[in-house]
Amino acid sequence: MSQVDHHQSGISYWRGLEQLSDTPQVRELLAQEFPGYDPTSVVADPGRRQFLKIMGASMALAGLTLTGCRRWPQEHLAPYSANPSGHVPGFPEQYATAWELGGVAHGLLVTSYDGRPIKIEGNPSHPSSWTIKGKQGSADAFAQASILEMYDPERSRLVIERTAADKRGKNSDWEKFDEFATVHFGRMKGQGGGFAILSEATSSPSVLDMRKRLLAVFPQAKWYEYEPLTRDAELEASRQAFGKALRPVYGLDKAKVIVSLDADLLGTHPNHVRYAADWSEGRRSGDRGEMNRVYCAETCFSITGTVADVRLAVDPARIDMLARALASKLGVAGVSGQENLSAGEQKFIEAAAGELNASGGSGVVAVGHAAPVAAHVLAFAINQQIGAVGKTVTLIDDPAGDRPTHVAAITGLAKDMAGGKINTLLILGGNPAYDAPLDADFANALGKVAVSIHLATYDDETSRLCKWHLPRAHYLEAWGDGRSWDGTAGVVQPLIEPLFGGKSAIEVLAMLSADKVTAGDQIVRRTWREQFIKGGGNFERQYRKVLEVGFLEGSQSKPVQAQPKVANLPPAEAAAPAGTFFLKFEPDAHVYDGRFANNGWLQETHEPLSKLVWDNAAVMSVKDANTLGIETGDVIKLEGNNRWIEAAAYVLPGQPVGVIGLSLGYGRTAAGPVGDKLGFNGYTMRTSDRPWIVGGVKVSKTGQDYRLVTASLHHLIDRIGMNGREQRVGGKNQTGVIVREASLSEFKKDPSAPHEKTQGRSSLQLFDPLRYNGPHAWGMAVDLNTCIGCNACVVACQAENNIPVVGKDQAFNHREMHWIRIDRYFKGASDDPQIDVIHQPMLCVHCENAPCEQVCPVAATMHDTEGLNVMVYNRCIGTRYCSNNCPYKVRRFNYFDWHAKPPRKSTGVLWPGMPDSQQLDPKSIDPIRRMQFNPEVTVRMRGVMEKCTYCTQRIQRTKIARRNAGEDVRDGDIITACQQACPTQAIVFGDLRDRSSRVVALQNNPRSYDVLGELNTRPRTRHLAKLRNRDEAQSAPSGQAAAEHHAQGPSSSSPSPSQSPTLG
Amino acid sequence: MSESADAAAAASTPPTASAKRFIFPRWANYALPAIAVGVLGGLVYVPVAIGLGFSPKALAVGYAPQQPVPYSHALHAGKLGIDCRYCHTTVEKAPFAALPPTQICMNCHTAIHNTSPRLEPIRQSWATGKPMEWVKVHDLPDYVYFNHSAHVNHGVGCASCHGRIDHMDVVEQVAPLSMGWCLDCHRAPENNLRPKDQVTNLAWRPTDHPLAKERNITDVAKAQELVGNELKKQYGIRDQAYMTSCFTCHR
C-alpha cells in the first residue's frame, strides 16, 4: 500500500485529474473494460426466462445467417455509355480544388473514385497547404471532414417556402422560387431600396464580382458581411495603424523567436496549416542543435500553448498589458506600461523582448483574435521595431478588407431590420439567427422583414425563420473561387453534380440580378478572364492549368510597404472585479462556429486538450474549481451582461486562473439529428461590444450533473500494468518513459538525455523471431517534437479506412473506433497554470513480437512477409483476446454494425434488435452515406476486431503500379493517410530495408525510442522524444507558481495574479 | 440403510387416481439406438451436405446468368478473333477489367446489324446515354481485392481463370474462385504463367513456347513446368510466403 501511496504524489506524466488523484474509485474505473456500461440496460431482467428469450433469438438469428451460405445477390455492372476521355474505370483520380472557411481559402486535393469524391487531402503545390512542396500537402480536420458533410443525408434537399402561419413550410422547387424572384426582384430593378444582402465572409473574386453586378442592378441595395468567428480586431488595428486594411502574413519557417499573445497560430488561425508546417521546420532543426523558441501568453489553453517553450497563462485583461509592456521594452515610441506587471509577467516580457532584440529581425509577434485593437496595433509596431517586417512578417492588402467590421455590420443590419427599413433580405450562407450577437436580436428583427431568403446547406435555425430556404450546393458540387491567407487565388472545382439540386451563392446572385450568365462555371470563368488571366487568346490553356494545379501561380498578394503609427492608445484594460471571472469564447475544435454540428466525424474527434467528444464545456482552472468546489461534469451557472447560461464544467489543468473558456457552436436546435441538442450555446452570452470576452462573470453551482464524455483516461495503463512496468523498467514513477522529452540544451550536451530513465530491456524470446526475406520491411516514425495534437491524422484515417462513428453513449463505454488516437499527457502539478503537455499519436505499432498474435485462437491476426501485423477480418470470431493482450490498446472491436446505426441512437436493446444488419440488408447503410466509402478498404461488420493496417491498401496500390511498370517502390511513394494529413510531418512511413529512406534516418535518430520497449514487443513504429527549447538556468520551479496561486482569488485585483512562466 | 428404506417407502406409496404409473411400450427399447444412429448419421451427413452442397464448386461453377443482350463471346472473341483488350480496355492498368462502354459496341454496330432487334438495348443505351446493366458473372467477396493488372502484367492468361471464353455463347464461371483455388496458383504460380504477349491468347498451349519446342516436349504439363519456372524467374515472382500473405488479397 505504501508503494501505491508513493505514486499518488509522484506520477510525473498523467492524462487526467482523476488519474492523478488515484482514488480507489478511479482505480476501479481504470480496471473496468466498459466503465460506463450497465449490462442491465441490455437485459433488464437477468432471470431464466429473459435468458432463454435472448438465447432463442440468438439461435434464430444464427439460423438466419445460414442463409449466407448461398450465392450472394445478383449484382449488375453499369459501364459508361460513352467513356469520358482519359478515364480508367476503377482507378482513383485526384483533382485540385479549394474551399473557403471564414473567408479564407485552402488548397485541397480530392480523390475521386469513379465519379465519387471519397477523400480530401491538402494540395501539395498550394502555398497554403504544402508540407513537402510538390509532394505532400495537408488539410485540417474540418477540411477533411467536409466530405462527410457532402454525403450527409440530412443536408437540405428542397426549396422550402414558409409563411407566418405555416412555420414548417411547404416543399417547393427552384422553378417556383425563380417565378417568385422574377416578379419580386423585377419590380426592384434599378432601385433596390430596402433590399439587403447578408453574406458570410468571403474572399471569392467571383462573389465580389457578382456583388458589384448585383449592386449595379439594385443601386440602393446594401451588402453586409458577418462571420461569427470574426478576426476584425486585427483588421481594425491595421486601419488605425496604417490607414488601410492590411493583413500580416508570418514566415514562421524563418522565425527564430515566436511570441504569441493569445494567438493560436497553429490551431485556430485561418492559416494554421501553413504556420504549423513552417513552425515544424524550425523544430526539426533541433537535431542540428538549433530550434525556434515559442513564447506564448494565453487566456485559454490552446494547441499553440501546448507546444510553447515558455507559456504564461493569464486572463484576457493582461494581453493588452503584455503587448504594451513588450512594446515599451522594445522601445516602440509613445508606449509605456511596464509598471503594472507581476513578477512572472515581467520575466516573460524580459525574456521575450531580449530574444526578439537579439533575433536580428527573425522574430514574430502575433496577437490573437480576442485581443483588443490596441494590442494588434502594438504588434504591428513591434514587428516593425524589431525589423521583422520584410523578413518574417509580410504585410499584404486584405483581399476583402473594404468593409465594416462583422459585428458592426450585423448590428447595423439588425437595427435597420427591426426599424422596418429592410423589406427584402437575402442571406447567403451563415446562420445569423443562431450566431449573431445577442444585442443585435437578429431572430426577432428577421420577423420584421417581409421577404427573407436564406441560402444554406441545412434547413437550420435561420432558414426556419425565413420565408424561403434555398438548398446550397456543397463546395464539392459547385464552381467557385477564393483567396487563401497570403492572397493566392484558386478555383473551387466541383467533383460531382449537386446531389440534392443545390445552387451556389454566385448562381443565386446571378439568378436574382437576372445576369445573362447563370451557370457557376461560366461566372467563374468570366471573373478569371476579367481579373486574373488577361492574356486573351490563350485563356483556355491558362485556365486549364489553373484548374490542374488548383491555383494561379504567383498570385499571392504583393508585400505592402507601410509604417505603423501608434497613436491615441486607449487606456489599458481594467481587470475583472474581484471574485468574478472572464468568460472567453473560443472557436470549437469539433464544430468550428456550429456549422459542422451534424458531422459525426468531427463530433467524435477528441478536443485536443480536454479530449471531450460530442460536447463543449465551460473549461476552468483547477484552482478555481477547487475554490468553488466544482468538479468536471457539474453544471455551473455563468452570469454576466445581465444574462446567464448554464454549462457543464470541465476542469482543465493549465487553464488560466479566473478565466472560463467556452467554445462556440454548440446548443444547436436545427442542425440535424446528429448535431441537435448537444453541449451549451455560448452565443446566448455574446454581445457586440466585445464578441470574444465577457468580463465580470459570476460563477455558481447549480447542483445538477451533466454527463461529459472525455477520452482523456481511455486506454490508460491501469495499476496492474503500472506495477508490471516498475518491475521491468525498475525504479518508481516511470510513467514518463511512455512519452519522453528533454530540453534542447540537455540534448545538445547528451543526445541520450531523453532516455536516461530507462534501464534497457529484456531481449529474451519466447518464440523464434520472425525472419523476413521479402523486398520491403515497413516501419514508421512518430515525432513527438512536432506533433501538435491537431486531429488532422485522426480524421484522415477515419476517411481513408471507413471508420465508423459510434456516438456519445458508446464513446462513454470506451468503444470509439479511431485507429489512431492522440494521447495528451500533462506533466507537473495539476494546479500549475504553466503545466507542460505532450501529444503522443498512438496507433498500432506493428510489433515484431506481437502480443495480439500470440493469443488469437483462429490466427485472425498474424504477421506478413513485410512485417505488417495484419488483421484478417473474415477469420475473426470476436474473442477480443488480442485487444486484451495489446499493451498499446490500439485494437478496436465492432460491437455493433456501426455504419448501419444512427450515432445518436445507441442505447437500449441494441444487440438482440439489430443483428448483422450490414450483412442481411445491404440497404441498412444509407445509400448516400455509402458513396463516401473508400472502395479499397473492407467495411467491417459486427463482431470483428480491427486496427491500423499501415494503410495496406496504399502500399498494395503503389506496389502493384510500380511492379507493373517494372520498377521498384521508392522512398516517399507510399504515404499513409495520417502521414499525408500531418501538417508538421510528425508521421513518416517508409521501408526499413531502404537504408536511405527518411524513416530509417528518423528511427536511427538519437531521440527515437520504442514505446513500452521493455515488453520486448519490438515495435515497427518508433516514437521520437520531444525537445523543449528552454534555458534551464532561467527555470522557475513550477511548484512555486502553483503556491502563489493558492494565495489568491480569481482575478483578485490589478495587477492580476502573478503567474510566473515556467522556463523549465 | 436409511436411503433404501426411504425408497421402499416411496415405492409402496399408493398411486393417486390422477397419476397412474406410466409404462413405456415395448418399441421404446429401439428408440435409443435409433436416435444414436440418427445423431451419428447426422454428424456425418450435415457436414458432408454443407461441405459439398454449399462449396464454391457446387454453387459457383457453371453460373451462367442471362444477360440483357445475348452477346456471344464465341462469336466475337472466337470466330471474329477480337482481342480481349479491344473491349476490356482497362485490364492492364486497373484492378478491374472494365466492361466496355456502349460506345465500343457501337464502333461496329452502327454499321453491322444496325437494325437487329437483339441489339435494341445497346442502341437505346447509346441514344439515351444510360448505361447497359450487365449481370456480374465473376463475383468475389467484398473483402477480396483481386487486381487484374497485377496478374495480366505478370503473365497470367485470361483463360487461366475465365476458361475458354472464346467457346462460350453465354459466359459462365468455370473456376470456383474460392480462396483455396486462388491459393493453388499463388503457391505454385509456375503452373499458370505464360509469355506476356500470349496473355489474351485463349488457345495458347505451353507446348507452343519456343523453350518447349526446342526440347521437343509434347507433354503439356511438362512443358508448362519448364516454361512456367523460366517465366517465374523472368517476371521476378516473389516467393511462396509473400504470395500467400494475407495482405496480397485482403485489405
Side-chain angles (χ1 to χ4, degrees):
Chain A
M1 195 61 206
S2 64
Q3 191 188 1
V4 172
D5 284 343
H6 179 81
H7 280 282
Q8 289 183 350
S9 57
I11 300 177
S12 54
Y13 289 87
W14 44 277
R15 287 225 216 121
L17 294 167
E18 299 89 341
Q19 183 196 2
L20 206 59
S21 70
D22 201 28
T23 57
Q25 291 91 327
V26 171
R27 267 185 240 167
E28 199 191 335
L29 200 76
L30 287 182
Q32 278 175 16
E33 190 180 11
F34 314 119
Y37 181 63
D38 178 14
T40 55
S41 71
V42 175
V43 187
D45 166 24
R48 183 186 63 93
R49 275 165 173 263
Q50 182 68 13
F51 175 76
L52 285 175
K53 234 190 260 174
I54 288 174
M55 282 309 290
S58 307
M59 296 302 275
L61 292 171
L64 267 180
T65 50
L66 264 183
T67 53
C69 298
R70 64 189 155 85
R71 198 182 163 82
W72 40 81
Q74 201 170 61
E75 280 185 38
H76 292 274
L77 294 167
Y80 283 103
S81 174
N83 198 43
S85 85
H87 176 71
V88 180
F91 212 70
E93 289 164 326
Q94 292 192 309
Y95 293 93
T97 184
W99 87 313
E100 241 193 340
L101 181 68
V104 178
H106 301 265
L108 302 178
L109 198 62
V110 183
T111 305
S112 172
Y113 211 105
D114 286 347
R116 293 174 295 121
I118 57 162
K119 176 102 182 16
I120 292 175
E121 292 170 352
N123 184 344
S125 320
H126 198 286
S128 73
S129 53
W130 62 261
T131 50
I132 303 175
K133 203 168 186 175
K135 287 187 181 155
Q136 210 173 308
S138 167
D140 64 10
F142 294 134
Q144 294 185 63
S146 65
I147 190 120
L148 193 67
E149 187 182 39
M150 197 195 87
Y151 290 116
D152 187 350
E154 309 301 332
R155 203 151 59 91
S156 156
R157 302 179 182 218
L158 291 163
V159 175
I160 300 172
E161 187 182 358
R162 288 183 168 89
T163 58
D166 179 16
K167 291 267 186 257
R168 289 196 57 199
K170 61 172 197 284
N171 295 340
S172 183
D173 53 36
W174 283 102
E175 280 78 43
K176 285 194 193 125
F177 175 73
D178 197 19
E179 270 169 40
F180 159 80
T182 313
V183 177
H184 184 79
F185 290 94
R187 268 200 309 253
M188 287 201 291
K189 213 167 229 174
Q191 324 151 40
F195 177 27
I197 303 102
L198 175 62
S199 164
E200 56 184 11
T202 178
S203 63
S204 158
S206 288
V207 172
L208 296 178
D209 184 52
M210 287 313 297
R211 167 185 167 172
K212 232 181 268 161
R213 286 168 195 272
L214 186 88
L215 293 180
V217 178
F218 308 107
Q220 289 161 38
K222 280 186 181 161
W223 184 285
Y224 298 89
E225 201 177 294
Y226 175 65
E227 192 70 32
L229 303 187
T230 175
R231 304 181 52 82
D232 277 348
E234 195 167 73
L235 184 79
E236 264 310 287
S238 78
R239 287 197 192 122
Q240 278 186 23
F242 304 109
K244 55 185 167 181
L246 295 184
R247 172 190 280 181
V249 181
Y250 309 124
L252 298 190
D253 50 339
K254 298 181 284 280
K256 293 200 189 95
V257 191
I258 300 161
V259 179
S260 147
L261 299 177
D262 214 15
D264 190 7
L265 292 176
L266 311 185
T268 56
H269 192 283
N271 202 24
H272 65 120
V273 172
R274 171 82 273 119
Y275 288 164
D278 287 349
W279 164 85
S280 73
E281 208 59 45
R283 298 310 270 191
R284 269 189 297 280
S285 57
D287 289 319
R288 299 193 301 270
E290 264 176 49
M291 217 154 84
N292 60 26
R293 181 172 289 175
V294 181
Y295 287 85
C296 181
E298 60 180 0
T299 59
C300 269
F301 213 163
S302 74
I303 281 184
T304 311
T306 62
V307 299
D309 299 299
V310 184
R311 180 171 174 272
L312 183 72
V314 293
D315 70 47
R318 307 304 296 167
I319 293 297
D320 183 40
M321 193 66 90
L322 288 171
R324 283 164 203 254
L326 191 61
S328 119
K329 188 93 194 159
L330 287 165
V332 173
V335 187
S336 62
Q338 287 182 60
E339 56 278 2
N340 288 335
L341 298 186
S342 71
E345 288 168 341
Q346 193 75 40
K347 199 164 177 180
F348 179 89
I349 291 298
E350 262 165 34
E355 287 208 46
L356 284 172
N357 255 336
S359 70
S362 304
V364 165
V365 177
V367 173
H369 55 257
V373 174
H376 286 274
V377 171
L378 289 169
F380 286 125
I382 294 170
N383 283 328
Q384 181 75 34
Q385 177 78 13
I386 60 172
V389 177
K391 264 185 118 172
T392 53
V393 179
T394 313
L395 296 170
I396 60 166
D397 278 318
D398 192 316
D402 184 20
R403 58 174 175 81
T405 62
H406 292 142
V407 170
I410 191 93
T411 42
L413 171 64
K415 208 181 199 178
D416 283 354
M417 284 158 63
K421 288 184 197 152
I422 308 287
N423 57 40
T424 305
L425 176 67
L426 170 67
I427 308 173
L428 297 171
N431 189 3
Y434 163 73
D435 59 24
L438 211 61
D439 47 337
D441 202 11
F442 191 87
N444 273 336
L446 197 52
K448 302 249 167 60
V449 178
V451 177
S452 45
I453 304 160
H454 188 209
L455 176 73
T457 317
Y458 293 89
D459 183 25
D460 58 19
E461 288 87 343
T462 308
S463 281
R464 290 181 189 191
L465 297 173
C466 287
K467 300 287 177 292
W468 289 92
H469 161 77
L470 309 178
R472 185 184 194 175
H474 195 259
Y475 77 93
L476 291 170
E477 300 173 330
W479 288 91
D481 47 14
R483 308 195 76 152
S484 50
W485 186 254
D486 68 350
T488 302
V491 171
V492 179
Q493 182 178 206
L495 279 101
I496 193 168
E497 282 280 319
L499 286 174
F500 308 131
K503 281 193 196 296
S504 64
I506 48 174
E507 285 166 339
V508 169
L509 287 173
M511 195 173 176
L512 299 188
S513 56
D515 199 318
K516 53 184 186 299
V517 181
T518 52
D521 66 327
Q522 294 303 323
I523 298 172
V524 174
R525 272 165 181 272
R526 179 175 67 187
T527 314
W528 279 68
R529 198 190 297 271
E530 286 170 4
Q531 295 186 20
F532 296 104
I533 305 170
K534 294 169 185 162
N538 54 4
F539 171 80
E540 196 57 37
R541 200 158 45 104
Q542 289 184 53
Y543 188 66
R544 288 252 151 213
K545 176 82 182 146
V546 168
L547 295 185
E548 199 183 312
V549 295
F551 64 101
L552 181 63
E553 271 170 89
S555 61
Q556 59 264 47
S557 305
K558 300 284 167 291
V560 175
Q561 302 298 330
Q563 280 291 332
K565 285 190 291 289
V566 181
N568 306 327
L569 281 187
E573 261 190 271
T580 66
F581 288 80
F582 283 101
L583 173 61
K584 165 133 192 267
F585 300 114
E586 289 276 283
D588 192 80
H590 303 124
V591 298
Y592 189 64
D593 58 2
R595 70 180 70 185
F596 300 117
N598 212 46
N599 193 319
W601 288 356
L602 287 172
Q603 290 279 13
E604 208 154 286
T605 55
H606 304 160
E607 199 278 328
L609 277 147
S610 64
K611 296 284 155 190
L612 279 174
V613 294
W614 290 93
D615 267 312
N616 65 345
V619 175
M620 62 196 309
S621 70
V622 175
K623 183 182 174 288
D624 290 335
N626 289 343
T627 314
L628 298 169
I630 293 169
E631 283 178 10
T632 294
D634 287 348
V635 177
I636 55 173
K637 189 174 182 184
L638 306 169
E639 291 171 273
N641 275 354
N642 301 322
R643 293 178 191 87
W644 57 270
I645 54 167
E646 288 184 348
Y650 184 94
V651 183
L652 180 71
Q655 176 73 6
V657 174
V659 186
I660 309 274
L662 181 66
S663 63
L664 295 167
Y666 272 95
R668 296 277 311 266
T669 52
V674 177
D676 275 348
K677 299 189 183 98
L678 285 170
F680 310 95
N681 186 356
Y683 289 116
T684 57
M685 282 283 275
R686 205 175 187 217
T687 53
S688 54
D689 54 338
R690 197 107 198 251
W692 290 104
I693 286 151
V694 183
V697 172
K698 289 203 182 73
V699 176
S700 56
K701 264 172 89 166
T702 60
Q704 287 161 312
D705 279 341
Y706 182 88
R707 190 178 66 169
L708 289 172
V709 177
T710 164
S712 63
L713 294 185
H714 289 194
H715 316 298
L716 194 66
I717 297 177
D718 63 9
R719 179 53 52 194
I720 301 170
M722 288 306 299
N723 290 343
R725 287 178 55 72
E726 274 157 21
Q727 283 165 21
R728 290 190 190 87
V729 183
K732 304 276 184 277
N733 309 328
Q734 295 301 318
T735 35
V737 294
I738 299 175
V739 282
R740 298 186 187 178
E741 65 170 300
S743 75
L744 181 65
S745 47
E746 279 168 11
F747 178 71
K748 275 202 286 201
K749 267 180 254 153
D750 172 14
S752 70
H755 313 300
E756 62 192 356
K757 289 173 195 134
T758 53
Q759 277 198 344
R761 69 185 192 197
S762 149
S763 56
L764 289 174
Q765 288 285 106
L766 187 57
F767 305 101
D768 289 337
L770 294 163
R771 281 197 192 84
Y772 303 101
N773 46 15
H776 307 292
W778 307 115
M780 190 180 266
V782 180
D783 192 348
L784 305 186
N785 196 27
T786 51
C787 177
I788 57 175
C790 68
N791 279 332
C793 52
V794 178
V795 179
C797 180
Q798 190 145 22
E800 172 78 16
N801 292 304
N802 302 334
I803 293 173
V805 172
V806 304
K808 184 177 168 184
D809 290 324
Q810 297 298 333
F812 187 60
N813 290 340
H814 294 203
R815 286 172 177 174
E816 61 270 63
M817 297 300 290
H818 295 152
W819 288 0
I820 178 170
R821 66 171 195 268
I822 302 173
D823 289 337
R824 177 267 296 116
Y825 288 90
F826 289 113
K827 182 195 177 192
S830 65
D831 56 353
D832 176 6
Q834 273 70 248
I835 198 159
D836 278 341
V837 165
I838 296 188
H839 301 286
Q840 182 181 45
M842 198 31 100
L843 57 163
C844 177
V845 293
H846 294 265
C847 315
E848 296 286 356
N849 289 331
C852 51
E853 291 172 13
Q854 289 148 13
V855 293
C856 181
V858 292
T861 183
M862 50 194 296
H863 250 68
D864 74 13
T865 50
E866 300 185 344
L868 260 61
N869 168 249
V870 292
M871 184 67 221
V872 190
Y873 305 126
N874 37 323
R875 274 187 195 164
C876 179
I877 57 169
T879 62
R880 298 187 283 124
Y881 294 168
C882 54
S883 171
N884 193 33
N885 213 34
C886 172
Y888 304 92
K889 291 289 166 268
V890 289
R891 291 182 154 262
R892 303 285 175 265
F893 186 66
N894 287 276
Y895 285 92
F896 301 106
D897 278 332
W898 300 114
H899 286 296
K901 180 188 83 72
R904 293 288 291 282
K905 288 185 189 139
S906 54
T907 47
V909 276
L910 250 174
W911 63 270
M914 235 188 57
D916 300 338
S917 35
Q918 276 171 220
Q919 274 57 49
L920 292 177
D921 177 13
K923 292 193 191 78
S924 61
I925 307 177
D926 190 284
I928 303 232
R929 176 67 195 81
R930 272 149 57 122
M931 289 171 75
Q932 186 275 324
F933 286 155
N934 183 354
E936 296 192 7
V937 178
T938 307
V939 176
R940 283 81 58 189
M941 62 179 281
R942 189 175 78 119
V944 168
M945 190 62 74
E946 61 184 66
K947 53 141 212 129
C948 164
T949 63
Y950 270 171
C951 282
T952 182
Q953 68 280 3
R954 291 187 174 213
I955 300 176
Q956 284 302 97
R957 192 207 294 159
T958 312
K959 273 200 308 196
I960 290 172
R962 284 277 180 213
R963 293 260 293 152
N964 283 348
E967 296 164 0
D968 282 330
V969 174
R970 277 170 260 160
D971 189 37
D973 271 358
I974 302 171
I975 300 174
T976 62
C978 51
Q979 174 186 11
Q980 161 77 50
C982 183
T984 60
Q985 297 179 49
I987 300 174
V988 174
F989 173 84
D991 187 355
L992 302 176
R993 280 275 151 82
D994 175 1
R995 302 317 292 176
S996 62
S997 69
R998 272 179 83 201
V999 69
V1000 168
L1002 286 168
Q1003 292 212 348
N1004 291 337
N1005 186 303
R1007 289 188 288 126
S1008 76
Y1009 68 100
D1010 295 340
V1011 173
L1012 297 177
E1014 73 278 4
L1015 297 174
N1016 195 27
T1017 50
R1018 306 194 176 181
R1020 278 283 175 96
T1021 298
R1022 286 172 71 90
H1023 286 68
L1024 274 70
K1026 185 177 175 68
L1027 294 178
R1028 290 188 203 272
N1029 189 6
R1030 279 180 188 159
D1031 202 343
E1032 293 303 312
Q1034 290 178 36
S1035 67
S1038 51
Q1040 183 194 329
E1044 268 182 64
H1045 290 293
H1046 275 299
Q1048 292 175 20
S1051 310
S1052 49
S1053 60
S1054 187
S1056 83
S1058 57
Q1059 293 165 353
S1060 59
T1062 19
L1063 294 164
Chain B
M1 179 62 199
S2 67
E3 261 179 41
S4 61
D6 284 352
S12 64
T13 314
T16 57
S18 61
K20 249 191 234 161
R21 195 179 150 146
F22 177 78
I23 299 169
F24 279 97
R26 188 160 287 276
W27 60 262
N29 292 343
Y30 301 103
L32 201 63
I35 290 170
V37 169
V39 167
L40 285 176
L43 281 179
V44 177
Y45 174 79
V46 170
V48 169
I50 290 177
L52 293 180
F54 291 103
S55 77
K57 262 186 191 141
L59 282 173
V61 173
Y63 177 61
Q66 207 185 352
Q67 301 289 354
V69 172
Y71 174 85
S72 167
H73 278 85
L75 173 66
H76 292 83
K79 206 167 153 201
L80 301 175
I82 299 174
D83 190 277
C84 306
R85 287 163 299 184
Y86 179 75
C87 299
H88 302 290
T89 51
T90 65
V91 72
E92 290 168 309
K93 286 170 263 174
F96 305 102
L99 261 52
T102 314
Q103 191 181 16
I104 290 186
C105 309
M106 294 308 281
N107 282 353
C108 300
H109 285 292
T110 41
I112 306 161
H113 294 304
N114 53 5
T115 52
S116 161
R118 290 169 148 203
L119 289 173
E120 187 51 33
I122 298 282
R123 286 192 295 272
Q124 276 296 320
S125 162
W126 182 236
T128 59
K130 273 189 82 175
M132 290 292 303
E133 289 209 4
W134 303 98
V135 180
K136 195 170 187 181
V137 180
H138 300 89
D139 198 1
L140 292 175
D142 291 350
Y143 46 80
V144 178
Y145 290 83
F146 178 83
N147 191 311
H148 273 92
S149 74
H151 290 81
V152 169
N153 284 306
H154 290 90
V156 178
C158 305
S160 298
C161 305
H162 296 289
R164 290 305 296 266
I165 292 275
D166 57 338
H167 293 170
M168 295 178 196
D169 273 319
V170 178
V171 172
E172 69 170 74
Q173 187 174 332
V174 295
L177 303 187
S178 63
M179 180 157 155
W181 177 84
C182 291
L183 284 172
D184 283 345
C185 183
H186 273 227
R187 290 196 184 106
E190 59 274 11
N191 292 340
N192 285 294
L193 295 181
R194 57 177 72 189
K196 281 186 203 173
D197 56 358
Q198 299 297 327
V199 163
T200 58
N201 179 1
L202 300 168
W204 182 82
R205 292 153 57 85
T207 44
D208 302 344
H209 195 271
L211 268 180
K213 279 190 176 157
E214 225 171 69
R215 298 180 204 187
N216 254 333
I217 301 175
T218 47
D219 182 54
V220 174
K222 272 190 189 147
Q224 178 63 49
E225 195 188 338
L226 175 75
V227 175
N229 276 316
E230 177 59 29
L231 290 173
K232 192 177 160 187
K233 256 182 270 164
Q234 192 187 320
Y235 295 152
I237 307 280
R238 310 271 197 226
D239 62 0
Q240 201 192 83
Y242 181 97
M243 293 287 288
T244 57
S245 259
C246 307
F247 71 80
T248 310
C249 312
H250 301 292
R251 293 170 192 174

